[in-house]
């Protein structure tokens, strides 16, 4: 068995048994699981592909309308999304304490290229590296994705001087 098991869609038969939803998934299960072993099954709510696509359409529209002061700092829509995730609290952080403020600045210069989407801050002799959390379907369930989507879109709408409704309307018109 491998460490990273695939997510296998299953169907409940109403009699207490779950089985792979299609022959393809049955074959995948056969490769990764042992007959007779007991496995824990966890329900994962699926999020809408339309919601996912609409989110990225709105982000792209916001990125195209960024004020000049943001355009250099956020050269791609992925940079904008990561920055907004970090600013809205959907981020992980690592803090490093240096021996001096100069060493902290040097460390920050070294840390920045490690992740092009991270935000690195320096306060006195402390360096904090903020990294956006993944919004993949595996990393974020439906409710957490919806929460992050809402907060990120509110944030980027404010960055371009508009509101969510106008941002959504522009994205629909651009599609």
């Amino acid at each position: 068995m491998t460490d990273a098991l695939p997510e296998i869609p299953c169907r409940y038969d109403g009699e207490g048994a779950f089985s792979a939803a299609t022959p393809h998934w049955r074959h995948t299960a056969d490769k990764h699981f042992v007959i007779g072993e007991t496995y824990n099954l966890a329900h994962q709510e699926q999020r809408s592909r339309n919601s996912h696509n609409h989110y990225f359409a709105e982000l792209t529209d916001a990125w195209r309308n960024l004020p000049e002061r943001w355009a250099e700092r956020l050269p791609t829509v992925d940079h904008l999304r990561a920055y907004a995730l970090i600013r809205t609290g959907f981020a992980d952080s690592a803090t490093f304490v240096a021996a001096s403020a100069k060493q902290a600045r040097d460390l920050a210069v070294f840390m920045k290229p490690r992740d092009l989407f991270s935000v690195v801050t320096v306060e006195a002799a402390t360096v904090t590296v903020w990294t956006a959390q993944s919004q993949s379907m595996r990393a974020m369930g439906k409710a957490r994705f919806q929460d992050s989507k809402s907060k990120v879109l509110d944030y980027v709408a404010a960055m371009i001087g508009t509101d969510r409704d106008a941002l959504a309307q522009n994205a629909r018109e651009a599609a």
Side-chain angles (χ1 to χ4, degrees), residues 6-175:
E7 294 178 18
I8 299 176
C10 294
R11 187 170 288 118
Y12 181 62
D13 69 4
E15 309 253 337
F18 287 88
S19 60
T22 66
H24 166 77
W25 292 113
R26 194 172 13 245
H27 178 71
T28 302
D30 287 343
K31 290 193 311 193
H32 293 279
F33 298 102
V34 177
I35 294 172
E37 289 287 322
T38 300
Y39 298 94
N40 293 328
L41 181 68
H43 178 260
Q44 181 180 24
E45 282 206 46
Q46 298 299 307
R47 63 184 189 223
S48 155
R49 176 58 61 192
N50 286 343
S51 175
H52 187 83
N53 291 344
H54 187 256
Y55 171 61
F56 284 96
E58 285 189 54
L59 278 175
T60 300
D61 186 58
W63 176 74
R64 287 184 181 135
N65 290 288
L66 281 176
E68 196 62 36
R69 70 180 192 273
W70 289 108
E72 258 186 64
R73 184 172 181 188
L74 304 169
T76 69
V77 69
D78 288 329
H79 284 86
L80 172 62
R81 182 171 65 93
Y83 181 78
L85 282 164
I86 291 166
R87 299 295 293 169
T88 57
F90 294 92
D92 298 313
S93 66
T95 302
F96 306 91
V97 179
S100 68
K102 181 182 179 336
Q103 282 185 343
R105 288 190 302 275
D106 292 344
L107 179 60
V109 169
F110 173 76
M111 296 300 289
K112 181 59 182 160
R114 297 183 71 133
D115 179 350
L116 295 175
F117 303 118
S118 66
V119 172
V120 179
T121 60
V122 178
E123 243 182 78
T126 302
V127 177
T128 304
V129 180
W130 302 90
T131 306
Q133 292 174 347
S134 172
Q135 288 182 300
S136 72
M137 291 190 186
R138 183 178 205 124
M140 275 191 187
K142 183 178 181 178
R144 186 156 168 79
F145 174 76
Q146 193 58 44
D147 186 34
S148 71
K149 172 185 167 181
S150 180
K151 288 177 179 167
V152 163
L153 291 175
D154 285 341
Y155 186 83
V156 298
M159 286 176 75
I160 63 171
T162 191
D163 61 37
R164 272 289 298 288
D165 292 336
L167 183 61
Q169 182 62 34
N170 288 344
R172 278 192 295 276
E173 290 171 3

